[in-house]
Amino acid sequence: MPYSYEKDGAAIYKESFSTIRSEADLDRFAPEEEQVVVRMIHAAGLVGLERDVKVSPGMVAAARAALDKGAPIFCDAYMVSEGVTRKRLPADNDVICTLRDPSVPDLAADMGTTRSAAALELWRPRLEGALVAIGNAPTALFHLLEMLEDPDCPRPAAIIGCPVGFVGARESKDALWEAQPVPSLIVEGRLGGSAITVAAINAIASRAE
């Protein structure tokens, strides 16, 4: 038996974003922030997520300017890096996840931390002016903050900090928001994850919905 449902992809997106904008409370966001938050809500399928999203002033502009200049995007997990829509990137930007680098297991053991955190040490040579996206591991976000406490550590242009989970996720995002080493975006509390993080990257990379 044939089912009746919308089959036009563009129409589905249009109706989805229209529904989000009619139901979500987006008044506190600047126009460029609203576009990013709408994409994040769409990825989560959760109107109400906007209540937990915090965007520091100028974050979207800083991230977009960095990508326009060709800056790389550093991701803590392959679920994040693989979700980035390459055709939306303005300068064929490199999307980098170092989690599978052969040196990471030994580095993590030496540092006494998770592989997700240790893998960030490999970002240092290209971290200056980059966009950082943490969508999975709170330990990665905590270690990034530890790295940035060193005045000699290269500074990224902006950070998307949306790790998910029950241990350390809330605390790591609170720490990022309090420290504000660079312009940042977070989802408060336990919510977060790869899909939400990827949605933020893709929305920042291109204004097209």
Side-chain angles (χ1 to χ4, degrees), residues 37 40-41 44 46-53 187 191-192 196:
V37 176
M40 294 169 72
I41 293 170
L46 181 62
V47 170
L49 179 70
E50 72 277 6
R51 292 191 291 268
D52 299 315
V53 177
V187 176
L191 291 174
I196 290 173

